[in-house]
Amino acid sequence: MSWPMFRKAARDLSWTVFWYALGLVIYIVMLASFYPTLERQREEFERVLQQYPEFLFRIFGIDPQRVLFTSFAGFMHAETFGFIWPATALIFVVLSGAAVVAQEVERGTAEFWLSVPLSRVRLLASKQLALLTGILVIVLTSAVALAASAAAFGGELTGRGLGQLVLALTSFLVAFGGMATLASALTSERSKAAGLVGGVILLMYLAWILSGLAEEARWLRYFSLLTAYDPQAAMLGELAWYKPAIHLLVGLGTGIAALSAFARRDIVT
Amino acid sequence: MTANAPIVVERLTRSYGTQRGVVDLTFTVQPGEIFGFLGPNGAGKTTTIRVLMGFLRPSSGSAHVFGLDCWSQSTEVKAHVGYVPGDVRLWDNMTGKQFLDFMGAFRPSISPERRRMLLERFQVELDKRIKHLSRGNRQKLALVQALLHDPPLLILDEPTSGLDPLMQHEFLTFLREERDRGKTIFLSSHQLPEVERVADRVGIIREGQLVAVLTVDELKQRRTRPMDVVFAGPVDPSEFADLPGVRVLAVENGSTRFRLGVQDDLPRLLRRLSDLPIVDLTYAPPDLESVFLTYYQAEQRERQEAAS
């Protein structure tokens, strides 16, 4: 790790992190503010929702077999953490992760970046650490917003549930952050790296939806990291330990692979 | 001596797939010299420098800086090197001061006096964001960051591009001073006059191959300077036939306009011209092509001799 490199990378990310974190906080608070209204009309609302086809729930990350609006966790999962929150946070992670190497090469700044007497591994690890810090800021501000909303709008959320949610969200973003830095370490254009990871996410998303819709396609869930993403269980304090472990392992593995690939590749600006 | 020389390149080849990069380069840069690396655009100068900086892995052969392998020990190599890339692209959102602070943070010892001296000498703008700086000012920032830590070896890829003529002169003067302080300088350029002004020795590269390594005096003997002469009336080209260092390259406009290639013996040529009805004269700086022409002609002669 290099402190000057970490400081620069963190500063480069600071405004992006600020706007994403702020946007997600506002969204969480806004959605949570509807909870008291929906709670009063819960039965009526669930009756209406049951008329919709299962497919519609699946594409927004909702398992209709599980409770929907019977709890604050179910409500916030359906409205925020099932689809909008991960989609938004993934855009941040993929674009920022894709920039770590490929953007330096693309913009020609890699020649200065790599002319300092520090190994490529340490330079990139510092950038990865800055990305991890950005992820933590986004996750923690969202968690604080959720806790404050639960207190303000009468939602049930335990400290254990909040802790597990932080773990679930962080590990989920770490997995895709690792992939994005790997793609960036292998390519020389940020758009190519981001496109590559975006394509993988899309395929995983499709596999995840299909696996929930048809019994014969259930095996597809093993090909999607979204299967291990379970914020609802986390908010209820019932997160299976192996789910964040899978995400963290993928993140760590791809992050290390990124360091290795970057140390070996040619830099042609 | 050679084993730990500032730069030792041995049979270095680097290709980009089917594209040529550099082929079988061998040369050594000695301590305390300015080594000019001269060649036209696309000749392979930047590829060689990128191998020296550890950005590219050699396809075959090797490159060493102070005895350190440029690929496997590139981190250690960079501790001894100040580097200016050929195409200076900086982080646009930084100010000049932030950029120098950032680059300096990786170096253990930067003397404040040296920093102050460099900033004053090159008149660097520190407070503006880099995106608002002119090309010349960006180039000056790049030069200062390479010199800040007072490295024993400077690797400079076309360092004067973008600088105004006064600053170019100032920078080349500074390089000579650094050389006199015992620093070694590897200077890539496609401008023959610039290299002639500062270098002790010159490596000439063309189409990825090292054509020659010469002292500057040897180089001067091999290149010609074009001279355009206009006369008031027709002049017989044979007027120049007995001047050994002078060749008639072209005769135009009814033998009143001549292009001469001047390699040597300028005083005799000027005396001869003063006897002729001269009305105008342009003496251009030496160009790189004339050096290559010398080598082609020598190669052609060798081939003809071998054939006969």
Side-chain angles (χ1 to χ4, degrees), chain A residues 102-115:
Chain A
Q103 185 169 281
E104 300 277 6
V105 178
E106 188 175 13
R107 292 185 177 174
T109 48
E111 295 213 49
F112 283 105
W113 185 42
L114 299 181
S115 70

Side-chain angles (χ1 to χ4, degrees), chain B residues 31 36-37 46 53 65 68 162-163 171 205 234 263:
Chain B
F37 199 46
T46 298
M53 289 301 295
V65 164
L68 300 162
L163 297 181
F171 179 67
I205 185 170
Q263 197 166 22

Side-chain angles (χ1 to χ4, degrees), chain A residues 129-222:
Chain A
L129 198 64
L131 180 61
L132 178 62
T133 307
I135 288 172
L136 282 172
V137 169
I138 286 178
V139 169
L140 290 174
T141 49
S142 289
V144 169
L146 184 70
S149 300
F153 304 118
E156 319 80 38
L157 187 68
T158 62
R160 181 187 166 85
L162 193 63
Q164 288 196 358
L165 180 69
V166 168
L167 179 63
L169 299 181
T170 305
S171 58
F172 176 70
L173 295 184
V174 163
F176 289 101
M179 275 189 208
T181 61
L182 175 58
S184 188
L186 292 168
T187 56
S188 298
E189 285 172 43
R190 183 193 189 185
S191 56
K192 267 188 193 165
L196 192 66
V197 183
V200 169
I201 292 173
L202 188 63
L203 288 174
M204 285 186 174
Y205 177 64
L206 290 174
W208 179 56
I209 289 175
L210 290 173
S211 71
L213 284 177
E215 189 60 38
E216 54 274 24
R218 273 186 70 76
W219 58 272
L220 279 174
R221 69 186 190 278
Y222 297 115

Side-chain angles (χ1 to χ4, degrees), chain B residues 26-281:
Chain B
T26 297
F27 62 88
T28 301
V29 177
Q30 299 297 343
E33 75 169 338
I34 299 181
F35 186 90
F37 199 46
L38 195 59
N41 293 328
K45 302 188 296 293
T46 298
T47 298
T48 309
I49 284 175
R50 284 182 177 158
V51 171
L52 291 174
M53 289 301 295
F55 301 158
L56 298 176
R57 189 201 298 254
S59 304
S60 65
S62 66
H64 288 83
V65 164
F66 294 115
L68 300 162
D69 183 81
C70 289
W71 177 255
S72 62
Q73 295 173 289
S74 76
T75 306
E76 292 88 339
V77 165
K78 287 164 198 165
H80 300 285
V81 173
Y83 171 61
V84 175
D87 187 9
V88 168
R89 308 246 206 106
L90 310 172
W91 292 282
D92 281 347
N93 284 325
M94 283 181 154
T95 63
K97 181 177 182 305
Q98 286 170 338
F99 171 69
L100 292 181
D101 288 345
F102 173 65
M103 295 302 285
F106 297 97
R107 308 287 180 177
S109 55
I110 291 179
S111 124
E113 288 77 34
R114 184 168 173 84
R115 180 178 164 125
R116 201 162 30 245
M117 178 274 289
L118 290 168
L119 294 178
E120 278 173 19
R121 189 144 182 188
F122 295 110
Q123 300 151 35
V124 178
E125 287 202 53
L126 289 179
D127 298 327
K128 279 188 186 171
R129 285 199 186 278
I130 287 170
K131 65 182 165 196
H132 296 132
L133 292 179
S134 66
R135 189 174 167 219
N137 280 318
R138 289 173 189 220
Q139 189 73 18
K140 287 193 277 186
L141 269 176
L143 297 175
V144 169
Q145 66 78 32
L147 297 163
L148 263 184
H149 55 289
D150 204 8
L153 173 63
L154 288 166
I155 296 181
L156 310 172
D157 193 358
E158 313 255 359
T160 58
S161 64
L163 297 181
D164 61 60
L166 277 178
M167 192 48 71
Q168 280 186 19
H169 180 266
E170 181 64 23
F171 179 67
L172 295 178
T173 305
F174 185 79
L175 287 188
R176 281 195 293 264
E177 291 169 12
E178 290 291 284
R179 187 257 323 268
D180 295 342
R181 289 177 61 226
K183 309 292 179 186
T184 306
I185 297 157
F186 184 82
L187 170 76
S188 139
S189 177
H190 64 274
Q191 295 182 43
L192 185 56
E194 176 178 279
V195 171
E196 274 188 8
R197 268 162 64 188
V198 291
D200 301 298
R201 287 193 309 141
V202 179
I204 299 172
I205 185 170
R206 192 175 195 275
E207 293 178 359
Q209 291 183 309
L210 198 64
V211 178
V213 177
L214 311 161
T215 64
V216 167
D217 288 338
E218 288 169 335
L219 177 69
K220 283 178 178 170
Q221 285 162 17
R222 278 170 169 77
R223 49 91 168 143
T224 54
R225 288 179 66 176
M227 181 185 281
D228 291 310
V229 191
V230 181
F231 298 104
V235 169
D236 190 340
S238 65
E239 290 281 359
F240 306 102
D242 61 329
L243 300 175
V246 179
R247 283 183 302 130
V248 177
L249 300 176
V251 181
E252 294 167 347
N253 211 17
S255 295
T256 59
R257 188 182 289 269
F258 280 62
R259 168 159 273 218
L260 306 174
V262 184
Q263 197 166 22
D264 202 2
D265 214 0
L266 183 64
R268 269 185 78 188
L269 172 63
L270 291 177
R271 278 196 296 277
R272 180 67 47 85
L273 288 172
S274 67
D275 295 336
L276 298 168
I278 185 168
V279 290
D280 194 19
L281 179 149

Side-chain angles (χ1 to χ4, degrees), chain A:
Chain A
M1 226 286 281
S2 150
W3 177 239
M5 189 64 245
F6 170 78
R7 212 168 39 200
K8 181 188 179 301
R11 198 172 47 219
D12 289 346
L13 279 178
S14 57
W15 277 109
T16 312
V17 169
F18 173 78
W19 288 117
Y20 273 90
L22 183 67
L24 288 170
V25 163
I26 290 171
Y27 189 78
I28 287 167
V29 173
M30 191 179 75
L31 264 294
S33 71
F34 297 142
Y35 179 64
T37 313
L38 285 166
E39 199 187 23
R40 282 195 293 274
Q41 301 167 334
R42 179 185 296 170
E43 284 178 17
E44 195 179 320
F45 201 71
E46 285 202 346
R47 248 197 325 274
V48 173
L49 285 175
Q50 277 160 12
Q51 308 303 312
Y52 288 107
E54 185 180 342
F55 177 75
L56 206 60
F57 291 102
R58 293 279 178 194
I59 59 173
F60 288 105
I62 301 165
D63 184 348
Q65 309 303 321
R66 294 167 72 176
V67 284
L68 285 175
F69 296 100
T70 52
S71 68
F72 183 68
F75 172 73
M76 288 309 290
H77 172 81
E79 296 297 335
T80 306
F81 293 102
F83 188 80
I84 295 292
W85 195 96
T88 309
L90 277 180
I91 293 171
F92 160 75
V93 165
V94 170
L95 290 181
S96 303
V100 290
V101 173
Q103 185 169 281
E104 300 277 6
V105 178
E106 188 175 13
R107 292 185 177 174
T109 48
E111 295 213 49
F112 283 105
W113 185 42
L114 299 181
S115 70
V116 298
L118 212 64
S119 70
R120 291 189 190 184
V121 168
R122 287 181 67 190
L123 285 170
L124 180 54
S126 308
K127 283 197 165 200
Q128 287 176 324
L129 198 64
L131 180 61
L132 178 62
T133 307
I135 288 172
L136 282 172
V137 169
I138 286 178
V139 169
L140 290 174
T141 49
S142 289
V144 169
L146 184 70
S149 300
F153 304 118
E156 319 80 38
L157 187 68
T158 62
R160 181 187 166 85
L162 193 63
Q164 288 196 358
L165 180 69
V166 168
L167 179 63
L169 299 181
T170 305
S171 58
F172 176 70
L173 295 184
V174 163
F176 289 101
M179 275 189 208
T181 61
L182 175 58
S184 188
L186 292 168
T187 56
S188 298
E189 285 172 43
R190 183 193 189 185
S191 56
K192 267 188 193 165
L196 192 66
V197 183
V200 169
I201 292 173
L202 188 63
L203 288 174
M204 285 186 174
Y205 177 64
L206 290 174
W208 179 56
I209 289 175
L210 290 173
S211 71
L213 284 177
E215 189 60 38
E216 54 274 24
R218 273 186 70 76
W219 58 272
L220 279 174
R221 69 186 190 278
Y222 297 115
F223 293 93
S224 175
L225 285 175
L226 299 177
T227 309
Y229 177 67
D230 197 352
Q232 186 174 352
M235 281 187 278
L236 293 167
E238 298 163 1
L239 183 66
W241 66 269
Y242 68 88
K243 289 183 173 177
I246 289 172
H247 285 155
L248 288 175
L249 275 176
V250 169
L252 195 65
T254 49
I256 291 171
L259 296 174
S260 173
F262 183 50
R264 286 168 170 75
R265 69 170 284 188
D266 287 326
I267 303 294
V268 182
T269 56

